[in-house]
């Protein structure tokens, strides 16, 4: 499922791409640019959007400035933008339709940038640094949403959509709905009230942030650190529960010792310990698999970390019920 975060990024991409150099004079909206409405309409028309959707987009005030266009695209996620063309529908049905439209909008823009070229510039006539910068801006103008598009693509990958050969392909047949899983994990962690919840959630957030920014190694490291810190906090909680004292540093700072402590105290069995150990080792070795792109490694290792983290958190919930 496309999240609100992705919907906002899709809106920002469209706002940037169809942005005119001319400032907008919409009352109450400062620092906005006009939208090239004809180009937006032509883009939607040539990419085979339904007539009712073309009419909705034409009727909205999104041609006044880029911020209104961004908000109109965000409103597709909530269903608000679609109301004029779906008057007899419920909001849940509009939101379901909005998912399909947003996915197509993201895919169509990615496909456009596959073939969109930079302006050809003759730099020989530039005599000052200021002139060079102006020419560079003009050169990049056709692809002015490129950086934001890269962020959108990474966010969609986090949510289970991979762009290959002009198509955004869902990956839920092989991996979990990552954003939904992360939200669930955050809830489980907060409900557990570990002594260092902030550290666990910090690694979880960084694993996503680094992935979106293209820092594949850092993303994998924080995925591993997330799983490691979660296991350490569970072991610490068990130690406090049984002995009244925190886990000794000789154990807490060594992932192998933490796993063995959890097994010795009946939290996991030997099969579970071996599985966690192997997954931990696999995540730690990300980058050493030459036949797989680093980006794919980071995505899959993150999913493994989230999956096993949910497993141990649900184990923890059951452990507390059985050991009041």
């Amino acid at each position: 499922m496309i999240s609100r975060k992705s919907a906002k990024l899709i809106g920002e991409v469209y706002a940037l791409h169809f942005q005119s150099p001319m400032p907008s004079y919409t009352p109450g909206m400062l620092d906005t640019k006009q939208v090239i409405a004809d180009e937006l309409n032509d883009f939607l028309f040539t990419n085979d959007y339904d007539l009712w959707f073309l009419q909705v987009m034409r009727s909205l005030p999104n041609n006044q400035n880029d911020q209104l266009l961004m908000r109109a695209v965000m409103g597709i996620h909530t269903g608000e933008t679609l109301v004029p063309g779906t008057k007899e529908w419920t909001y849940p049905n509009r939101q379901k339709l909005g998912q399909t439209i947003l996915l197509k909008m993201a895919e169509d823009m990615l496909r456009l940038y596959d073939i969109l070229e930079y302006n050809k510039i003759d730099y020989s006539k530039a005599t000052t640094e200021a002139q060079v910068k102006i020419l560079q801006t003009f050169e990049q103008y056709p692809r002015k949403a490129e950086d934001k598009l890269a962020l959108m693509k990474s966010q969609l990958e986090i949510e289970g959509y991979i762009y290959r050969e002009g198509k955004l392909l869902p990956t839920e047949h092989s991996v979990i709905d990552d954003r939904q899983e992360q939200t669930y994990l955050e809830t489980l962690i907060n409900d557990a009230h570990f002594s260092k919840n902030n550290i666990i959630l910090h690694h979880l957030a960084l694993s996503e942030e680094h992935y979106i920014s293209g820092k594949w190694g850092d993303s994998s490291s924080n995925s591993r650190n997330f799983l490691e810190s979660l296991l350490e906090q569970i072991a610490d909680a068990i130690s406090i529960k049984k002995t009244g004292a925190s886990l000794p540093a000789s154990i807490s700072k060594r992932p192998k010792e933490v796993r063995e402590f959890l097994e010795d105290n009946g939290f996991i069995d030997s099969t579970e310990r071996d599985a966690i150990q192997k997954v931990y080792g696999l995540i730690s070795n990300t980058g050493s698999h030459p036949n797989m792109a680093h980006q794919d490694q980071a995505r899959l290792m993150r999913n493994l970390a989230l999956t096993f983290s949910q497993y141990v958190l649900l184990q923890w919930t059951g452990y507390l019920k059985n050991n009041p």
Side-chain angles (χ1 to χ4, degrees):
M1 173 180 281
I2 292 177
S3 71
R4 292 190 179 193
K5 184 181 291 187
S6 281
K8 185 173 186 294
L9 285 168
I10 295 169
E12 289 173 347
V13 166
Y14 272 72
L16 277 171
H17 182 76
F18 294 105
Q19 185 185 78
S20 166
M22 300 298 295
S24 171
Y25 299 101
T26 307
M29 301 193 74
L30 302 176
D31 299 324
T32 59
K33 297 288 184 67
Q34 293 181 19
V35 166
I36 309 175
D38 288 343
E39 287 190 10
L40 171 61
N41 180 69
D42 289 349
F43 178 81
L44 298 175
F45 179 85
T46 57
N47 281 286
D48 298 320
Y49 288 83
D50 290 338
L51 174 60
W52 71 267
F53 184 70
L54 293 176
Q55 292 173 335
V56 166
M57 294 302 288
R58 288 171 191 157
S59 69
L60 293 170
N62 56 41
N63 59 343
Q64 295 180 17
N65 67 58
D66 50 355
Q67 292 301 303
L68 289 175
L69 174 57
M70 180 185 72
R71 292 177 187 178
V73 176
M74 292 165 60
I76 295 173
H77 187 281
T78 61
E80 295 166 282
T81 298
L82 307 181
V83 170
T86 58
K87 292 181 179 178
E88 305 301 320
W89 291 38
T90 64
Y91 267 100
N93 285 336
R94 291 187 187 111
Q95 290 162 3
K96 184 176 181 180
L97 175 61
Q99 289 284 313
T100 301
I101 294 173
L102 286 170
L103 186 65
K104 176 172 171 53
M105 291 180 73
E107 183 179 276
D108 289 338
M109 191 59 73
L110 286 165
R111 193 183 296 118
L112 174 64
Y113 274 67
D114 282 344
I115 60 172
L116 194 61
E117 296 182 353
Y118 293 99
N119 281 327
K120 295 181 180 179
I121 302 297
D122 180 7
Y123 283 93
S124 63
K125 297 180 181 180
T127 58
T128 66
E129 184 177 344
Q131 290 176 338
V132 170
K133 289 183 178 180
I134 292 172
L135 291 176
Q136 287 174 337
T137 300
F138 183 68
E139 180 182 50
Q140 297 170 1
Y141 182 77
R143 299 178 62 91
K144 51 185 176 288
E146 187 164 28
D147 291 344
K148 189 68 69 173
L149 189 75
L151 292 176
M152 181 200 79
K153 181 170 176 283
S154 293
Q155 182 63 39
L156 287 170
E157 287 173 352
I158 284 284
E159 292 166 14
Y161 295 95
I162 305 300
Y163 183 68
R164 293 288 187 274
E165 298 180 356
K167 298 289 289 183
L168 274 170
L169 304 173
T171 59
E172 54 263 40
H173 64 279
S174 59
V175 296
I176 55 177
D177 181 340
D178 204 337
R179 183 61 235 175
Q180 181 178 352
E181 184 75 0
Q182 178 168 331
T183 302
Y184 182 42
L185 282 173
E186 289 167 346
T187 300
L188 289 173
I189 293 167
N190 286 325
D191 290 346
H193 300 292
F194 295 121
S195 62
K196 297 180 180 178
N197 270 8
N198 59 324
I199 294 177
I200 302 173
L201 293 171
H202 178 67
H203 288 305
L204 179 60
L206 284 179
S207 73
E208 178 176 353
E209 291 173 16
H210 288 315
Y211 184 90
I212 292 172
S213 62
K215 300 176 182 178
W216 317 124
D218 290 340
S219 176
S220 294
S221 295
N222 277 287
S223 296
R224 180 199 63 209
N225 293 341
F226 166 62
L227 177 57
E228 177 184 317
S229 60
L230 177 60
L231 292 170
E232 189 273 329
Q233 282 297 290
I234 291 174
D236 185 66
I238 291 174
S239 178
I240 293 173
K241 186 177 183 63
K242 288 191 170 184
T243 69
S246 293
L247 198 66
S250 59
I251 297 177
S252 65
K253 296 184 180 299
R254 298 175 180 172
K256 181 175 180 293
E257 298 291 338
V258 168
R259 293 191 295 269
E260 291 179 352
F261 176 89
L262 293 174
E263 181 187 6
D264 292 341
N265 283 273
F267 179 72
I268 56 176
D269 60 26
S270 59
T271 301
E272 291 167 330
R273 175 182 53 77
D274 288 343
I276 293 171
Q277 178 180 337
K278 285 180 170 58
V279 166
Y280 182 87
L282 182 63
I283 298 174
S284 298
N285 289 328
T286 297
S288 62
H289 312 291
N291 295 318
M292 184 185 296
H294 293 310
Q295 181 175 358
D296 287 331
Q297 290 182 51
R299 174 175 56 84
L300 294 172
M301 296 307 106
R302 187 172 188 275
N303 274 284
L304 278 174
L306 298 191
T307 299
F308 272 81
S309 295
Q310 181 186 158
Y311 183 90
V312 296
L313 278 166
L314 292 174
Q315 284 276 73
W316 176 243
T317 300
Y319 178 87
L320 291 177
K321 290 181 180 178
N322 295 325
N323 298 273

